[in-house]
Amino acid sequence: MATAASSGGVSDHQYVSVKLESPRLAALDLAPHLFGSHPAAGSWDPTKALPMERAAAAIWELSCVLPSRHETLDFKLLLKPKADSSECIVEEGPNRPLGCGSNQVEMTDAVFKLTEKDSLECKVWVETEMLSPFDLAASWKAHQENLQPSRVRGTYDVVMNTETEARDENDFASGLELDLEKYVVPTTPNMGSGVVYAANLTENPRSLLDTGISPNNLIKGDAPLNHYANTKKDVDGRHTPSQEEQKAVFVDRGVGSPRFARPTNETVSTSNIKQDSEAKLGMPAAEGAVAAAAVADQMYGPKEDRKLVIVLVGLPARGKTFTAAKLTRYLRWLGHETKHFNVGKYRRLKHGTNQTADFFRGDNKEGVEARNEVAALAMEDMLSWMEEGGQVGICDATNSTRSRRNMLMKMAEGKCKIIFVETICNDQDVLERNIRLKVQQSPDYAEQTDFEAGVRDFKERLAYYEKVYEPVDEGSYIKMIDMVSGNGGQLQINNISGYLPGRIVFFLVNCHLTPRPILLTRHGESLDNVRGRIGGDSSLSEVGEVYSRKLASFVEKRLKSERTASIWTSTLQRTILTAQPIIGFPKIQWRALDEINAGVCDGMTYDEVKKNKPEEYESRRKDKLRYRYPRGESYLDVIQRLEPVIIELERQRAPVVVIAHQAVLRSLYAYFADKPLEEVPKIEIPLHTIIEIKMGVTGVEEKRYKLMDAVNPTAEV
C-alpha cells in the first residue's frame, strides 16, 4: 500500500475566511457585513463595513490575507437592511478576537436582536491558515524577488512577468465606477446551479421507470410503491434501445474515448484517415497520452479492465456525492463515457422521500433488504449501460458494509474492474457544515418544515450507519482522509494501476470544497480580430485597449476583498496586454492557454482558407471537434493540453481570472458546465464578456457580465 500526504506550507501570511450560515436570513431583507480592526474592514465605523458575499443558499463569506506578523485583531458582524443601509443590527456579545500564526477552524454562534421579542441565531465559522509562498506565486524565488508593498490594505503583491506601475488619480481604470449588476447578462440555460442537489442531476433509474413514476417526481416526494418489486422483473422489463438509439450507441463506442469515434459514412480529409481507421477498429481517435494508454490497455489488459466502476464508500455527509459529481465531469471532459448512478435516487423513486431514520437502522431487516435491492438495481443499470458502450460508471452510495461491497463485486465479476473510493472526515466542524447543507438540499427533507428537526433526524440516521460501518480493506481502493477542506489530509491507495486509475488519483488529490470564483474572459479585441485573421500574435485594437481598462476596474471592484486572487494569461501579447492595467494581483503566463494552433492556416482569413484549401475548409466544417489543422491542432488536442490547467484550477483556493482565447475558453467552459465534447466548438464565448464560474460544495454556478459590445465580433477559430 502506498500513502501520500498533502499539507500546506508555512509563511508569514495568514489566510482568513469568515462564513455565516442562516437559512432564515435568506428570507429577510438583511445583508450580513463585517467591521472592526480586521484588515479586511479596517474601521469600527458601521457605514464602512464590508458586505459578505453569498456563497450558497444560506451561507455568506468574506475572505482575505493578513499581513505578516500582525497584532491581535478583533471584529464583529452586523446586518444592514438592503433598502436602508443607514441603520444596522450589530451582533450581541463581545468582539471576536483574531490571533496570528495559527491554522484552525472555529465555529460559534452569532445572535442578532431583531426586535424586543425576536432574535436571529446564525452559525459562524472563522477559518485561518498559514499560506505557503506557493499559494501566493509560482515559487519562493519569485516571491522574494518581486515582494513589494501592496497598494491595497497593506498586504503584499507578487508580480510575475509583468509590470504594475502605479496609476495616476485621473487614470481611466481608477476613476471608472462600475455598477457590476448593470452588466449582468443571461447565462446559458444548461449550466449547473448551486441550488440543485447534485444527486438529482445523476443518471435516471431506467430499471424503475416502468413503474409509471416520472424521474422528476421523485424530487417532489411522491408516495412510495406499495411493496418491493421483484428484482428479476425490474431487470428484464427495462427499456430496450430503439434502432436510432442503438445506432447512436455504436457511434459513441470506443475503448479509451467513446465519444471520439466517428460515423463511418462521413467524408473526411486525408489528414484524418488514420483517426477513422482507428474508430472502425474500436480504438480511440484521441491524441497523445489518452489514446496511447487506451490502446495499450486494449492490447494487453484483460477485457474487464476496459470498463471501470468507481464505488464510493463512506458515512453520510462525507462528500461522496460531491466527489462523484466532480469525477464524472472531469472524466467526461477528457472523453471517457462516464455516468453517475446515485443509489439514493433509486431509493427515493422506489420507496419515497419520507423515510425516517428508523429505515436506516442496521437491525431493520426490511430496511436493509430494501437498500440492498436498490443498490443492486443501480448496479444492474450500470452494467447494462456498459454493455451498450459506457466506459466508467460511478456508484454513489454509503456502501458501508463488506457484505454490500461483496455483492457489488460479484455482480461485476468478469464484466468490469471495481475501485473503491472511501471518503473519511474527522473534522467535526466540517461535518456539522455538511450535515446542515445536506438537510437544506436533499429531497429526503424537502417536506420537512422544521429545519432543526431535520438535522436531528439526519444525525440519528448517521448514528445508525456508524454502528455497522466497516472501512475498506479489500480489493483496489483509494482512501481520502480529511481532504475535503483542502487543508492537508492523506490519500491512501492500494492495488491501483493503469492510466485512467492514475489520472483519477491525481485528480482527487487536488480537489477540495472551498468556494471561490473563477473568471473567464477573452482578451480585448485584437488587430487580427478586426482583419478577420486566424491565430497570429497581434496587439490590441483601440476598442481592445478600452476593454482592458474596463476589465481592470471590474476585477478590482469584484475581487476587492480577495487579495489572494491571481491573473492567468497565455503567452500571446493580446492576452498579456489585456491584463496589463490590472494591478494588485500576481500575473502568471501559461503556454497551455495559448490559442489553438492553426498550423499552415495561421494568419489566413476563413475566405482565404475556403479559396486556397477547400478540402481543409470542408473537413473542418464537417467535424470541427476532431479536425486538426495541418501542422496544427484540433479541439481534442487543446483539451489534452489544458488538463494541467483544470487540475490547478481545482487546486486553487483563491479566485482566478483567466484571460485567454476563444477555443481555449470553450474547452475550459465545457468542463465547468459539463458540456458534451461535440458541443465544445459551438459554445458561445463573446468578446468583452466575463463569465464568472462559482465553484463550491453546493455545485457550480455561472454569471455573465458584458462590459461592452464588440465592434468586430469575428471569431478566432
Side-chain angles (χ1 to χ4, degrees), residues 507-565:
F507 178 75
L508 291 177
V509 80
N510 285 286
C511 289
H512 58 84
L513 304 179
T514 306
R516 72 279 191 199
I518 295 171
L519 306 181
L520 307 176
T521 183
R522 287 173 66 183
H523 54 79
E525 181 189 74
S526 70
L527 294 176
D528 278 342
N529 286 142
V530 177
R531 301 169 185 139
R533 297 198 176 277
I534 307 168
D537 191 17
S538 66
S539 59
L540 300 179
S541 68
E542 291 184 4
V543 173
E545 291 175 355
V546 172
Y547 176 70
S548 70
R549 295 193 291 271
K550 281 200 169 190
L551 176 64
S553 293
F554 178 93
V555 170
E556 290 171 22
K557 185 168 185 178
R558 173 65 184 85
L559 302 180
K560 61 184 177 182
S561 62
E562 301 279 5
R563 304 321 310 168
T564 54

Coordinates of all heavy atoms in Angstrom, one line a residue, residues 507-565:
F507 N -6.3 13.5 -9.9 CA -7.4 14.5 -9.8 C -7.9 14.6 -8.3 O -8.1 15.7 -7.8 CB -8.6 14.1 -10.7 CG -9.8 15.0 -10.7 CD1 -9.7 16.2 -11.3 CD2 -10.9 14.6 -10.0 CE1 -10.8 17.1 -11.3 CE2 -12.0 15.4 -10.0 CZ -12.0 16.7 -10.6
L508 N -8.2 13.5 -7.7 CA -8.7 13.5 -6.3 C -7.8 14.2 -5.3 O -8.3 14.9 -4.4 CB -9.0 12.1 -5.9 CG -10.2 11.3 -6.6 CD1 -10.3 9.9 -6.1 CD2 -11.5 12.1 -6.5
V509 N -6.5 14.1 -5.5 CA -5.6 14.7 -4.5 C -5.6 16.2 -4.6 O -5.2 16.9 -3.7 CB -4.2 14.1 -4.7 CG1 -3.5 14.8 -5.9 CG2 -3.4 14.2 -3.4
N510 N -6.2 16.7 -5.7 CA -6.2 18.2 -5.9 C -7.6 18.8 -5.6 O -7.7 20.0 -5.8 CB -5.7 18.5 -7.3 CG -4.2 18.4 -7.4 OD1 -3.4 19.2 -6.9 ND2 -3.8 17.3 -8.1
C511 N -8.6 18.0 -5.3 CA -9.9 18.5 -5.1 C -10.2 19.0 -3.7 O -9.6 18.4 -2.7 CB -11.0 17.5 -5.5 SG -11.0 17.2 -7.3
H512 N -11.0 20.0 -3.5 CA -11.4 20.4 -2.2 C -12.8 21.1 -2.3 O -13.3 21.3 -3.4 CB -10.4 21.3 -1.5 CG -10.0 22.5 -2.3 ND1 -10.8 23.7 -2.3 CD2 -9.1 22.8 -3.2 CE1 -10.3 24.6 -3.1 NE2 -9.2 24.1 -3.7
L513 N -13.3 21.6 -1.2 CA -14.7 22.2 -1.1 C -14.7 23.7 -1.0 O -15.8 24.3 -1.0 CB -15.4 21.6 0.0 CG -15.6 20.1 0.1 CD1 -16.4 19.7 1.3 CD2 -16.2 19.5 -1.1
T514 N -13.5 24.3 -0.9 CA -13.5 25.8 -0.7 C -14.2 26.5 -1.8 O -13.7 26.5 -2.9 CB -12.1 26.3 -0.5 OG1 -11.4 25.5 0.5 CG2 -12.1 27.7 -0.1
P515 N -15.3 27.3 -1.5 CA -15.9 28.1 -2.6 C -15.0 29.2 -3.1 O -14.3 29.8 -2.3 CB -17.2 28.6 -1.9 CG -17.3 27.9 -0.6 CD -16.0 27.4 -0.2
R516 N -14.9 29.4 -4.4 CA -14.2 30.5 -4.9 C -14.6 30.8 -6.3 O -15.0 29.8 -7.0 CB -12.7 30.3 -4.9 CG -12.1 29.3 -5.8 CD -12.3 27.9 -5.4 NE -11.6 26.9 -6.2 CZ -11.8 25.6 -6.2 NH1 -12.8 25.1 -5.5 NH2 -11.1 24.8 -6.9
P517 N -14.6 32.0 -6.8 CA -15.0 32.3 -8.2 C -13.8 32.1 -9.2 O -12.7 32.4 -8.8 CB -15.4 33.7 -8.1 CG -14.6 34.3 -7.0 CD -14.4 33.2 -6.0
I518 N -14.1 31.7 -10.4 CA -13.2 31.7 -11.5 C -13.8 32.6 -12.6 O -14.9 32.3 -13.0 CB -12.9 30.3 -12.0 CG1 -12.2 29.4 -10.9 CG2 -12.1 30.3 -13.2 CD1 -12.1 28.0 -11.2
L519 N -13.0 33.6 -13.0 CA -13.5 34.5 -14.1 C -12.8 34.2 -15.4 O -11.6 34.1 -15.5 CB -13.2 35.9 -13.6 CG -13.7 36.4 -12.3 CD1 -13.4 37.8 -12.0 CD2 -15.2 36.2 -12.2
L520 N -13.6 33.9 -16.4 CA -13.1 33.6 -17.7 C -13.4 34.7 -18.7 O -14.6 35.2 -18.7 CB -13.7 32.3 -18.3 CG -13.7 31.0 -17.4 CD1 -14.4 29.9 -18.1 CD2 -12.2 30.6 -17.1
T521 N -12.5 35.2 -19.4 CA -12.7 36.2 -20.4 C -11.7 36.1 -21.6 O -10.6 35.8 -21.4 CB -12.7 37.6 -19.8 OG1 -13.0 38.6 -20.8 CG2 -11.3 37.9 -19.2
R522 N -12.2 36.4 -22.8 CA -11.3 36.5 -23.9 C -10.5 37.8 -23.8 O -11.0 38.8 -23.1 CB -12.1 36.5 -25.2 CG -12.6 35.2 -25.6 CD -13.5 35.2 -26.8 NE -12.8 35.6 -28.0 CZ -13.4 35.8 -29.2 NH1 -14.7 35.6 -29.3 NH2 -12.7 36.1 -30.2
H523 N -9.4 37.9 -24.4 CA -8.7 39.2 -24.5 C -9.5 40.3 -25.2 O -10.5 40.0 -25.8 CB -7.4 39.0 -25.3 CG -7.6 38.4 -26.7 ND1 -8.1 39.1 -27.7 CD2 -7.6 37.1 -27.1 CE1 -8.3 38.4 -28.8 NE2 -7.9 37.1 -28.4
G524 N -9.1 41.5 -25.0 CA -9.8 42.6 -25.8 C -9.6 42.4 -27.3 O -8.7 41.7 -27.7
E525 N -10.5 43.0 -28.0 CA -10.4 42.9 -29.5 C -9.0 43.2 -30.0 O -8.4 44.2 -29.6 CB -11.4 43.9 -30.1 CG -11.4 43.9 -31.6 CD -12.2 45.0 -32.2 OE1 -11.7 46.2 -32.2 OE2 -13.3 44.8 -32.7
S526 N -8.5 42.3 -30.8 CA -7.1 42.4 -31.4 C -7.2 43.0 -32.8 O -8.3 43.0 -33.4 CB -6.4 41.1 -31.3 OG -7.0 40.2 -32.3
L527 N -6.0 43.4 -33.3 CA -6.0 43.8 -34.7 C -6.3 42.7 -35.7 O -7.0 43.0 -36.7 CB -4.6 44.4 -35.0 CG -4.2 45.6 -34.2 CD1 -2.7 46.0 -34.5 CD2 -5.1 46.8 -34.5
D528 N -6.0 41.5 -35.3 CA -6.3 40.4 -36.2 C -7.8 40.0 -36.1 O -8.4 39.5 -37.1 CB -5.5 39.1 -35.8 CG -4.1 39.1 -36.5 OD1 -3.9 39.9 -37.4 OD2 -3.3 38.4 -36.0
N529 N -8.5 40.3 -35.0 CA -9.9 40.2 -34.9 C -10.6 41.2 -35.9 O -11.5 40.8 -36.6 CB -10.5 40.6 -33.5 CG -10.2 39.5 -32.5 OD1 -9.9 39.8 -31.4 ND2 -10.3 38.2 -32.9
V530 N -10.1 42.4 -36.0 CA -10.6 43.4 -36.9 C -10.4 42.9 -38.4 O -11.3 43.1 -39.2 CB -9.9 44.8 -36.7 CG1 -10.4 45.8 -37.7 CG2 -10.1 45.2 -35.2
R531 N -9.2 42.3 -38.6 CA -9.0 41.9 -40.0 C -9.6 40.5 -40.3 O -9.6 40.1 -41.5 CB -7.4 41.8 -40.2 CG -6.7 43.1 -39.9 CD -5.2 42.8 -39.9 NE -4.4 44.0 -39.5 CZ -3.4 44.0 -38.7 NH1 -3.0 42.8 -38.1 NH2 -2.7 45.1 -38.4
G532 N -10.1 39.9 -39.3 CA -10.8 38.6 -39.6 C -9.8 37.5 -39.8 O -10.1 36.5 -40.4
R533 N -8.6 37.6 -39.2 CA -7.5 36.6 -39.5 C -7.4 35.6 -38.3 O -7.6 35.9 -37.2 CB -6.1 37.3 -39.7 CG -6.1 38.2 -40.9 CD -4.8 38.6 -41.4 NE -4.8 39.3 -42.6 CZ -5.0 38.8 -43.8 NH1 -5.0 37.5 -44.0 NH2 -5.0 39.5 -44.9
I534 N -7.0 34.4 -38.7 CA -6.9 33.3 -37.7 C -5.6 33.3 -37.0 O -4.6 33.5 -37.6 CB -7.1 31.9 -38.4 CG1 -8.4 31.9 -39.2 CG2 -7.1 30.8 -37.4 CD1 -8.4 30.7 -40.2
G535 N -5.6 33.1 -35.7 CA -4.4 32.9 -34.9 C -3.6 34.2 -34.8 O -4.1 35.3 -34.6
G536 N -2.3 34.1 -35.1 CA -1.4 35.3 -35.1 C -1.0 35.7 -33.7 O -1.4 35.1 -32.7
D537 N -0.3 36.8 -33.6 CA 0.1 37.3 -32.3 C 0.1 38.9 -32.3 O 1.1 39.5 -32.0 CB 1.5 36.8 -31.9 CG 1.9 37.1 -30.4 OD1 1.0 37.4 -29.6 OD2 3.1 37.1 -30.1
S538 N -1.1 39.4 -32.7 CA -1.2 40.8 -32.9 C -1.5 41.5 -31.6 O -1.8 40.8 -30.6 CB -2.3 41.1 -33.9 OG -3.6 40.7 -33.4
S539 N -1.3 42.8 -31.5 CA -1.6 43.6 -30.3 C -3.1 44.0 -30.3 O -3.9 43.5 -31.2 CB -0.8 44.9 -30.3 OG -1.0 45.6 -31.5
L540 N -3.5 44.8 -29.4 CA -4.9 45.1 -29.2 C -5.3 46.3 -30.2 O -4.5 47.2 -30.5 CB -5.3 45.5 -27.8 CG -5.0 44.4 -26.7 CD1 -5.4 45.0 -25.4 CD2 -5.9 43.2 -27.0
S541 N -6.6 46.3 -30.6 CA -7.1 47.5 -31.3 C -7.4 48.5 -30.2 O -7.3 48.3 -29.0 CB -8.4 47.1 -32.0 OG -9.4 46.7 -31.1
E542 N -7.9 49.7 -30.7 CA -8.3 50.8 -29.7 C -9.4 50.3 -28.9 O -9.5 50.6 -27.7 CB -8.6 52.0 -30.5 CG -7.4 52.7 -31.2 CD -7.8 54.0 -31.8 OE1 -9.0 54.4 -31.7 OE2 -7.0 54.6 -32.5
V543 N -10.4 49.6 -29.5 CA -11.5 49.0 -28.7 C -11.0 48.0 -27.7 O -11.5 48.0 -26.5 CB -12.5 48.4 -29.7 CG1 -13.6 47.7 -28.9 CG2 -13.1 49.4 -30.6
G544 N -10.1 47.2 -28.1 CA -9.5 46.2 -27.1 C -8.8 46.9 -25.9 O -8.9 46.4 -24.8
E545 N -8.1 48.0 -26.2 CA -7.5 48.7 -25.1 C -8.5 49.3 -24.1 O -8.3 49.3 -22.9 CB -6.6 49.8 -25.7 CG -5.4 49.3 -26.4 CD -4.6 50.4 -27.1 OE1 -5.0 51.6 -27.1 OE2 -3.5 50.1 -27.7
V546 N -9.6 49.8 -24.6 CA -10.7 50.3 -23.8 C -11.2 49.1 -22.9 O -11.4 49.3 -21.7 CB -11.9 50.9 -24.6 CG1 -13.0 51.2 -23.7 CG2 -11.4 52.1 -25.3
Y547 N -11.4 47.9 -23.5 CA -11.9 46.8 -22.7 C -10.9 46.4 -21.6 O -11.3 46.1 -20.5 CB -12.1 45.6 -23.6 CG -12.5 44.3 -22.8 CD1 -13.7 44.3 -22.2 CD2 -11.6 43.3 -22.7 CE1 -14.1 43.2 -21.5 CE2 -12.0 42.1 -21.9 CZ -13.2 42.1 -21.3 OH -13.6 41.0 -20.6
S548 N -9.6 46.5 -21.9 CA -8.6 46.1 -20.9 C -8.7 47.0 -19.7 O -8.5 46.6 -18.6 CB -7.2 46.2 -21.5 OG -6.8 47.6 -21.7
R549 N -9.0 48.3 -19.9 CA -9.1 49.2 -18.7 C -10.5 48.9 -18.0 O -10.5 49.0 -16.8 CB -9.1 50.7 -19.2 CG -7.7 51.0 -19.8 CD -7.5 52.5 -20.0 NE -8.4 53.1 -21.0 CZ -8.0 53.2 -22.3 NH1 -6.8 52.7 -22.7 NH2 -8.8 53.7 -23.2
K550 N -11.5 48.7 -18.8 CA -12.8 48.3 -18.1 C -12.6 47.0 -17.3 O -13.2 46.9 -16.2 CB -13.9 48.2 -19.1 CG -14.5 49.5 -19.6 CD -15.8 49.3 -20.2 CE -16.5 50.6 -20.5 NZ -18.0 50.4 -20.9
L551 N -11.9 46.1 -17.9 CA -11.7 44.8 -17.2 C -10.9 45.0 -15.9 O -11.2 44.4 -14.9 CB -10.9 43.8 -18.1 CG -10.6 42.5 -17.5 CD1 -11.8 41.7 -17.1 CD2 -9.7 41.7 -18.4
A552 N -9.9 45.9 -15.9 CA -9.2 46.2 -14.7 C -10.1 46.8 -13.6 O -10.0 46.4 -12.5 CB -8.0 47.2 -15.0
S553 N -10.9 47.7 -14.0 CA -11.9 48.2 -13.0 C -12.8 47.2 -12.5 O -13.1 47.1 -11.3 CB -12.7 49.4 -13.6 OG -11.8 50.5 -13.9
F554 N -13.3 46.3 -13.3 CA -14.2 45.2 -12.9 C -13.5 44.3 -11.9 O -14.0 44.0 -10.9 CB -14.6 44.5 -14.1 CG -15.5 43.3 -13.8 CD1 -16.9 43.5 -13.8 CD2 -15.0 42.1 -13.5 CE1 -17.8 42.4 -13.5 CE2 -15.9 41.0 -13.2 CZ -17.2 41.2 -13.2
V555 N -12.3 43.9 -12.3 CA -11.6 42.9 -11.4 C -11.3 43.5 -10.0 O -11.5 42.9 -9.0 CB -10.3 42.5 -12.1 CG1 -9.4 41.7 -11.1 CG2 -10.6 41.6 -13.3
E556 N -10.8 44.8 -10.0 CA -10.5 45.4 -8.8 C -11.8 45.6 -7.9 O -11.7 45.5 -6.7 CB -9.8 46.8 -9.0 CG -8.4 46.6 -9.6 CD -7.8 47.9 -10.1 OE1 -8.3 49.0 -9.6 OE2 -6.9 47.9 -10.9
K557 N -12.9 45.9 -8.5 CA -14.1 46.0 -7.7 C -14.7 44.7 -7.3 O -15.1 44.4 -6.2 CB -15.2 46.8 -8.5 CG -16.4 47.1 -7.7 CD -17.3 48.1 -8.4 CE -18.5 48.5 -7.5 NZ -19.3 49.5 -8.1
R558 N -14.7 43.7 -8.2 CA -15.3 42.4 -8.0 C -14.5 41.6 -6.9 O -15.0 40.9 -6.1 CB -15.4 41.6 -9.3 CG -15.8 40.1 -9.1 CD -17.2 40.0 -8.5 NE -17.6 38.6 -8.3 CZ -17.3 38.0 -7.1 NH1 -16.6 38.6 -6.2 NH2 -17.7 36.7 -7.0
L559 N -13.1 41.8 -7.0 CA -12.3 41.0 -6.1 C -11.6 41.8 -5.1 O -10.5 41.5 -4.6 CB -11.2 40.2 -7.0 CG -11.7 39.3 -8.0 CD1 -10.6 38.7 -8.8 CD2 -12.6 38.2 -7.5
K560 N -12.2 42.9 -4.6 CA -11.6 43.8 -3.7 C -11.3 43.2 -2.3 O -10.4 43.6 -1.6 CB -12.5 45.1 -3.5 CG -13.9 44.8 -3.0 CD -14.7 46.1 -2.9 CE -16.1 45.8 -2.4 NZ -16.9 47.0 -2.4
S561 N -12.1 42.2 -2.0 CA -11.9 41.5 -0.7 C -11.1 40.2 -0.9 O -11.0 39.4 0.1 CB -13.2 41.3 0.0 OG -14.0 40.4 -0.8
E562 N -10.6 39.9 -2.1 CA -10.0 38.6 -2.4 C -8.5 38.9 -2.7 O -8.1 38.8 -3.9 CB -10.7 37.9 -3.5 CG -12.2 37.6 -3.2 CD -12.4 36.4 -2.4 OE1 -11.3 35.8 -1.9 OE2 -13.5 36.0 -2.2
R563 N -7.7 39.2 -1.7 CA -6.3 39.6 -2.0 C -5.4 38.5 -2.4 O -4.2 38.7 -2.8 CB -5.7 40.4 -0.9 CG -6.5 41.6 -0.4 CD -7.2 42.4 -1.5 NE -6.3 42.8 -2.6 CZ -6.7 43.3 -3.8 NH1 -8.0 43.4 -4.0 NH2 -5.8 43.6 -4.7
T564 N -5.8 37.2 -2.4 CA -5.0 36.1 -2.8 C -5.3 35.7 -4.3 O -4.8 34.7 -4.8 CB -5.2 34.9 -1.9 OG1 -6.5 34.6 -1.8 CG2 -4.6 35.2 -0.5
A565 N -6.2 36.5 -5.0 CA -6.5 36.2 -6.3 C -5.3 36.3 -7.2 O -4.3 37.0 -6.9 CB -7.7 37.1 -6.8

